Amino acid sequence: MAVIVTICIELGMCVSVRQAACVRIQRGMCVCPAGTVAGLGVEGVNPARGGPAERGGGRGLRRFEEIPHTGSSGWLNLVKFWREDRFKLLHKHMERTFNTLGPIYRERLGTQSTVNILLPSDISELFRSEGLHPRRMTLQPWATHRETRQHSKGVFLKNGAEWRADRLLLNREVMMAPAVRRFLPLLDEVARDFCCQLATRVEKDGGKEERGHSLTIDPSPDLFRFALEASCHVLYGERIGLFSTSPSQESQKFIFAVERMLATTPPLLYLPPRLLWRLGAPLWTQHATAWDIIFSHAEKRIQRGVQRLRSTQAAGGGSGGAEGEFTGILGQLMDKGQLSLELIRANITELMAGGVDTTAVPLQFALYELGRNPAVQEQVRVQVKAAWARAGGDAHKALQGAPLLKGLVKETLRLYPVGITVQRYPVRDIIIQNYHIPAGTCVQACLYPLGRSRDVFQDPERFDPGRWGTQESGEGPGGGGGFRSLAFGFGARQCVGRRIAENEMQLLLMHILLSFRLSVSSSEELSTKYTLILQPETPPRITFSTL
């Protein structure tokens, strides 16, 4: 789940970086948050791209202070952001700034200071200096909530050796191939049930057509329920019944709390949360209350899971259930006994909170793009049908035989990243775009401008899942090898729930394509707002037609 207010920011535009990179901005020039240049001076040519030799040669290494910036006063910049309600459109601000200042710039907002980059070659340089304990920007509002409520922190909020020790234990249960094989059937069960329920609705409420029935709906509420149902099934080993005709108010309250928590995170990132906590500021109160609801919901689920597992153990079985039955990640962690129950609670809660919007929203965009690109939809469906037939109902084999499903998810996240900028604090001094960046500086890769840059992707506005079969490992025009797809982060510090999310999305899309033909109205436009993550303000209505 995608960090810091820049978190959703990463979303940019589709203007080529080349246009902005052909001029060098003199030292002292700045650009306001709206992107208006003040004091611009043209001094020759400054390449937008270039390998280490180019960046280190020419006129010599340039100082950190010479990196183009958006204004030296962080608090003044923050006031402008508040006044212009720019937290909902941070991606546009970043896009404009990249296109004005070039492929690297500095920004101060309130208490935060960052260096922003977008080219894969520069991102590669950043990750080469992340060290043994990669550190990203701490979501201080989340950390402050844990501290004031005396909750333990999970790996998302930890750093250093403590983070590494816990993360290695979690990886075995959520990231490694054997773990994926264990929880994949649980995700597949929920995806099948979702499609069965949807098919019943289409048959019952949809209009009759020559081929069958069709129903036009906003699928977002259903996708949110699917994401929560699937997450709970994997984490706790139990279904919570969100596909019933009257889902529990408790679960609906949880979904709302996740949305409220994400919406209040961005502005709090640039303010001192402990001061707001002491003052009882309304924004902080909303944020903390949302987290309290999330923790309460998770605690109830965890307690039920713990009681169930202890009863099984008392009866002579292990946490893994009868005959090796997989009873959820909670059961696996308890059975291993390498993490305390308090740390298990902290990490399970973080996984649960981060596994709803971050899968439901990309699924909305994937259905939208499939609906308005019928040729792409049919191409993926043909491959999925063939893979499903060869697999004989084995979901794991079916996914392996349909690489376009993986490409479909990656292409969706390229155009509509979940909203997390990928940050690192380099452990040594580095050089990016011929600028010296001291160790310990917060440098962040901005995913939206990266995904839509013409310097990185050919025809970036075109939705093409097949591009990942040929470009993923190639150098391409932007350099940087594989640093084009970073929606889940990179390396040891990548999203701990990545394998759950990827398989969850691929399985649902597979079963939808096996059952329905998707379409959108020719006049359907996708309107979006941006808070912590990318989210449609007016979700597109999708027509599901039975095959």
Side-chain angles (χ1 to χ4, degrees):
M1 164 233 152
V3 144
I4 282 226
V5 139
T6 33
I7 267 183
C8 50
I9 303 184
E10 20 256 35
L11 325 165
M13 230 164 50
C14 57
V15 181
S16 173
V17 175
R18 291 193 193 99
Q19 299 169 357
C22 61
V23 298
R24 176 157 5 118
I25 292 139
Q26 290 181 341
R27 181 183 174 191
M29 192 243 27
C30 65
V31 60
C32 72
T36 304
V37 177
L40 175 65
V42 179
E43 199 183 88
V45 176
N46 182 25
R49 301 191 300 269
E54 290 180 75
R55 294 197 299 272
R59 296 184 49 163
L61 181 65
R62 306 190 71 175
R63 295 182 298 114
F64 177 81
E65 291 76 17
E66 294 181 271
I67 298 174
H69 61 89
T70 60
S72 57
S73 173
W75 294 109
L76 180 59
N77 289 342
L78 185 60
V79 168
K80 291 178 180 178
F81 267 62
W82 277 101
R83 187 176 62 218
E84 299 171 12
D85 197 19
R86 201 162 289 279
F87 286 111
K88 291 183 179 179
L89 294 169
L90 283 168
H91 65 299
K92 292 296 184 185
H93 160 67
M94 293 181 74
E95 178 179 64
R96 283 192 295 266
T97 308
F98 275 121
N99 283 288
T100 302
L101 298 182
I104 182 172
Y105 70 89
R106 289 188 292 126
E107 181 148 67
R108 294 181 62 87
L109 280 178
T111 59
Q112 300 289 349
S113 179
T114 62
V115 171
N116 295 344
I117 59 177
L118 85 158
L119 294 179
S121 55
D122 295 336
I123 297 170
S124 173
E125 182 70 23
L126 171 65
F127 283 122
R128 280 200 293 268
S129 64
E130 66 177 1
L132 181 63
H133 304 131
R135 186 162 70 95
R136 60 187 176 196
M137 194 183 298
T138 299
L139 286 181
Q140 199 55 51
W142 297 15
T144 300
H145 173 268
R146 307 300 190 274
E147 293 158 6
T148 57
R149 298 298 197 268
Q150 297 185 329
H151 292 313
S152 294
K153 296 175 183 176
V155 293
F156 190 80
L157 295 173
K158 286 184 175 180
N159 287 300
E162 185 183 20
W163 160 80
R164 185 174 179 83
D166 290 357
R167 178 63 193 253
L168 289 175
L169 294 175
L170 282 174
N171 282 350
R172 297 172 191 168
E173 309 306 330
V174 297
M175 292 288 287
M176 301 300 185
V180 175
R181 291 296 298 266
R182 285 195 295 268
F183 64 66
L184 199 67
L186 279 67
L187 294 176
D188 188 53
E189 176 189 321
V190 179
R192 288 173 186 253
D193 288 354
F194 177 93
C195 288
C196 286
Q197 184 194 52
L198 182 57
T200 300
R201 285 177 62 188
V202 172
E203 292 287 342
K204 179 181 177 181
D205 302 327
K208 189 72 172 66
E209 295 183 343
E210 183 178 346
R211 293 183 177 182
H213 292 76
S214 67
L215 180 66
T216 302
I217 60 172
D218 166 14
S220 55
D222 302 288
L223 293 173
F224 273 76
R225 286 193 288 271
F226 162 76
L228 181 55
E229 183 82 11
S231 293
C232 286
H233 200 20
V234 169
L235 293 175
Y236 309 126
E238 67 172 358
R239 298 287 296 270
I240 61 176
L242 284 177
F243 294 167
S244 66
T245 54
S246 55
S248 70
Q249 290 187 347
E250 177 189 1
S251 296
Q252 297 286 22
K253 189 177 180 182
F254 173 85
I255 293 173
F256 177 79
V258 170
E259 293 175 336
R260 175 52 48 189
M261 177 272 290
L262 293 174
T264 53
T265 294
L268 287 171
L269 287 169
Y270 304 112
L271 297 168
R274 278 197 170 270
L275 176 62
L276 298 180
W277 166 60
R278 294 185 184 280
L279 294 175
L283 183 63
W284 169 258
T285 301
Q286 291 179 42
H287 183 76
T289 300
W291 267 121
D292 290 342
I293 293 171
I294 292 168
F295 267 83
S296 176
H297 184 273
E299 181 63 22
K300 291 176 183 177
R301 298 287 172 195
I302 290 170
Q303 284 299 328
R304 283 199 287 269
V306 168
Q307 291 172 6
R308 185 178 68 252
L309 293 166
R310 284 176 176 168
S311 296
T312 302
Q313 290 173 332
S319 297
E323 298 182 359
E325 176 190 357
F326 179 69
T327 58
I329 291 170
L330 173 65
Q332 293 293 121
L333 291 172
M334 287 186 62
D335 193 44
K336 299 294 172 55
Q338 294 173 302
L339 282 176
S340 69
L341 184 57
E342 186 60 30
L343 287 177
I344 291 174
R345 284 194 183 100
N347 286 291
I348 289 290
T349 302
E350 286 182 5
L351 281 166
M352 189 173 175
V356 180
D357 289 60
T358 50
T359 50
V361 173
L363 282 169
Q364 294 179 53
F365 287 114
L367 295 178
Y368 169 74
E369 288 292 352
L370 287 171
R372 70 173 189 157
N373 292 281
V376 171
Q377 180 185 159
E378 192 56 30
Q379 179 189 22
V380 181
R381 179 180 290 110
V382 167
Q383 189 180 87
V384 164
K385 280 187 171 182
W388 183 252
R390 290 193 301 269
D394 185 316
H396 184 259
K397 290 182 179 178
L399 292 184
Q400 287 184 318
L404 280 177
L405 277 174
K406 183 178 181 180
L408 172 58
V409 171
K410 295 183 75 167
E411 185 72 345
T412 300
L413 291 172
R414 174 183 73 84
L415 291 169
Y416 311 101
V418 177
I420 299 177
T421 54
V422 182
Q423 311 102 20
R424 290 294 186 271
Y425 294 79
V427 297
R428 58 177 173 80
D429 290 11
I430 58 176
I431 298 172
I432 294 181
Q433 292 293 321
N434 203 32
Y435 292 103
H436 170 254
I437 298 176
T441 302
C442 181
V443 184
Q444 57 185 11
C446 303
L447 304 187
Y448 185 94
L450 163 66
R452 298 189 177 227
S453 171
R454 296 184 186 279
D455 289 318
V456 181
F457 294 97
Q458 293 181 357
D459 195 6
E461 293 301 308
R462 180 168 56 92
F463 186 76
D464 178 17
R467 76 168 75 234
W468 295 101
T470 56
Q471 290 186 8
E472 182 178 7
S473 301
E475 281 299 315
F483 292 95
R484 292 176 174 81
S485 178
L486 293 170
F488 291 102
F490 172 81
R493 190 109 209 195
Q494 65 185 290
C495 173
V496 70
R498 175 175 187 165
R499 301 305 178 203
I500 299 175
E502 286 178 329
N503 285 284
E504 187 177 322
M505 288 188 279
Q506 289 180 49
L507 284 167
L508 183 64
L509 291 167
M510 178 178 72
H511 287 297
I512 286 177
L513 287 167
L514 288 170
S515 303
F516 305 100
R517 180 170 289 102
L518 309 171
S519 60
V520 295
S521 168
S522 59
S523 61
E524 187 82 59
E525 291 294 333
L526 188 63
S527 174
T528 56
K529 68 178 180 182
Y530 304 90
T531 52
L532 182 67
I533 62 171
L534 191 68
Q535 183 170 341
E537 186 171 48
T538 306
R541 292 172 61 82
I542 309 294
T543 299
F544 294 85
S545 304
T546 53
L547 293 175

